[in-house]
Amino acid sequence: MKNVVFAFILLSSALIAQSDKLVKAIEKNLAIMDTAQTIETALLLKNGFERIADAEKGEWIPQYYASMANATLSMREKDNILKEEIIDKAEKYINRADSLEPDNSDIYVIKSMIVYARITVSPMERFMALSPLATKYIDKAAELDPSNPRVDLQKGMVVMFTPEMMGGGLEKAKPMIVSALEKFDTFEPKSSIHPHWGKSVAEGLLKRANEKK
């Protein structure tokens, strides 16, 4: 009996140590993400989150960040062939996250982001075909968690970067960005590594909208 208890204690200690290591690895990358400005940093984040995700295939949070890092990097890539490959990776990781953590609002935000990334490869050919899917994903994200500020932020970014002749622009996006910031004021992440990004992005977009006047 003592041997069983001792083995259980060793196993529990090993699991706690592994969990702490995972948290610290993700926190290190998140600290970089908060200040990322260049494509070199975006590539560094992509590689870092992929290593964690591939080592921890049973954990949804690493898969989520690996997907987000790829989706973000794809927006900076100019070569459409490479862009498509990066988007494929983003989709692979978010699908893995979704299988581990079904019906998660933040996962559906990234799903919508990935669809818009695909649209940017060939906007004229893909917008009409793919935009309904992106809308479906973001509506699902809102349904799952109406208080999620990243839902309004994603909506605002889409509208902001849509041409004014198609119903977009800074002024149309401003109410969504304001709504996102209001929700950020009361948002509390479940842990230091659960999704909590976006406030600084929303603040920057609101500043741009206000400066345009």
Side-chain angles (χ1 to χ4, degrees):
M1 183 65 181
K2 287 182 179 179
N3 289 338
V4 173
V5 173
F6 183 65
F8 178 76
I9 292 172
L10 286 178
L11 177 60
S12 298
S13 299
L15 290 173
I16 291 170
Q18 182 181 4
S19 177
D20 287 344
K21 184 179 179 181
L22 172 62
V23 168
K24 288 178 181 178
I26 293 176
E27 285 178 340
K28 181 180 178 180
N29 280 278
L30 290 178
I32 298 171
M33 188 175 79
D34 288 341
T35 58
Q37 297 292 331
T38 66
I39 191 167
E40 289 80 12
T41 307
L43 183 59
L44 179 69
L45 281 170
K46 167 191 174 295
N47 292 336
F49 278 127
E50 281 185 5
R51 281 194 293 271
I52 301 170
D54 291 342
E56 301 287 348
K57 291 183 179 178
E59 300 288 341
W60 76 269
I61 292 178
Q63 315 307 318
Y64 168 90
Y65 284 119
S67 177
M68 180 181 169
N70 274 281
T72 302
L73 178 64
S74 74
M75 299 294 189
R76 297 175 178 268
E77 179 57 57
K78 303 299 183 184
D79 184 291
N80 279 346
I81 294 176
L82 289 177
K83 183 191 281 278
E84 203 88 77
E85 290 175 358
I86 296 168
I87 294 168
D88 286 343
K89 270 197 169 183
E91 191 166 60
K92 177 190 77 173
Y93 284 113
I94 206 61
N95 286 341
R96 191 184 290 169
D98 191 29
S99 70
L100 295 166
E101 182 77 3
D103 295 331
N104 180 289
S105 176
D106 275 301
I107 287 174
Y108 275 89
V109 171
I110 301 300
K111 281 175 175 278
S112 177
M113 187 186 296
I114 290 169
V115 176
Y116 278 110
R118 287 205 186 278
I119 291 173
T120 65
V121 175
S122 182
M124 295 297 291
E125 293 180 0
R126 295 184 175 184
F127 182 80
M128 294 299 291
L130 293 182
S131 60
L133 179 60
T135 300
K136 176 183 175 182
Y137 285 149
I138 204 64
D139 287 348
K140 180 68 173 179
E143 176 189 329
L144 289 168
D145 185 3
S147 68
N148 185 351
R150 282 165 295 282
V151 173
D152 290 340
L153 176 58
Q154 173 66 8
K155 288 180 178 180
M157 286 193 293
V158 169
V159 172
M160 183 170 286
F161 295 107
T162 297
E164 291 186 8
M165 67 178 66
M166 297 175 66
L170 287 168
E171 281 304 307
K172 292 285 182 68
K174 187 174 177 179
M176 301 169 199
I177 302 301
V178 169
S179 176
L181 284 169
E182 289 172 350
K183 291 177 181 180
F184 274 118
D185 286 340
T186 57
F187 174 76
E188 291 288 342
K190 293 180 180 179
S191 76
S192 63
I193 63 172
H194 275 74
H196 59 273
W197 60 272
K199 186 173 183 179
S200 61
V201 176
E203 289 171 340
L205 294 177
L206 183 60
K207 182 179 178 181
R208 285 180 59 180
N210 289 334
E211 288 174 348
K212 189 181 179 184
K213 289 185 175 181

